[in-house]
């Protein structure tokens, strides 16, 4: 009988833990983006993704030119 009881309790725990986890997720208050508004940079003053990519590619091209020049001078 104790073996059957432990199997039943184990099965009940295995079913209860995920159920409690899902209930906790549903009841938890979601984070809002306006909670840390003081730390965010306004979108108007941020460069766009394309600008970042362009600047990155520009720097990479300059590095390649420097490397090619140093190889040529050797």
């Amino acid at each position: 009988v104790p073996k059957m009881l432990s199997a039943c309790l184990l099965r009940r725990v295995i079913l209860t833990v995920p159920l409690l986890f899902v209930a906790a997720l549903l009841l938890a208050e979601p984070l809002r983006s306006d909670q840390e508004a003081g730390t965010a940079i306004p979108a108007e003053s941020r460069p766009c993704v394309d600008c970042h990519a362009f600047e990155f590619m520009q720097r990479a091209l300059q590095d390649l030119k420097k490397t090619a020049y140093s190889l040529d001078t050797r």
Side-chain angles (χ1 to χ4, degrees):
V1 177
K3 196 173 194 179
M4 290 178 66
L5 183 62
S6 66
C8 181
L9 287 175
L10 181 64
R11 191 174 300 141
R12 190 172 283 192
V13 167
I14 289 173
L15 291 175
T16 305
V17 169
L19 181 66
L20 289 174
F21 183 69
V22 169
L25 284 176
L26 290 174
L27 294 175
E29 185 177 332
L31 293 175
R32 294 190 313 250
S33 61
D34 62 343
Q35 288 177 343
E36 295 184 20
T39 60
I41 300 172
E44 299 82 30
S45 61
R46 282 183 297 191
C48 62
V49 175
D50 292 337
C51 298
H52 280 299
F54 179 75
E55 291 170 2
F56 176 78
M57 292 301 290
Q58 223 175 6
R59 274 187 253 120
L61 184 61
Q62 288 173 354
D63 291 344
L64 282 173
K65 285 180 182 177
K66 288 178 187 175
T67 304
Y69 179 75
S70 68
L71 289 173
D72 285 344
T73 56
R74 289 183 190 177

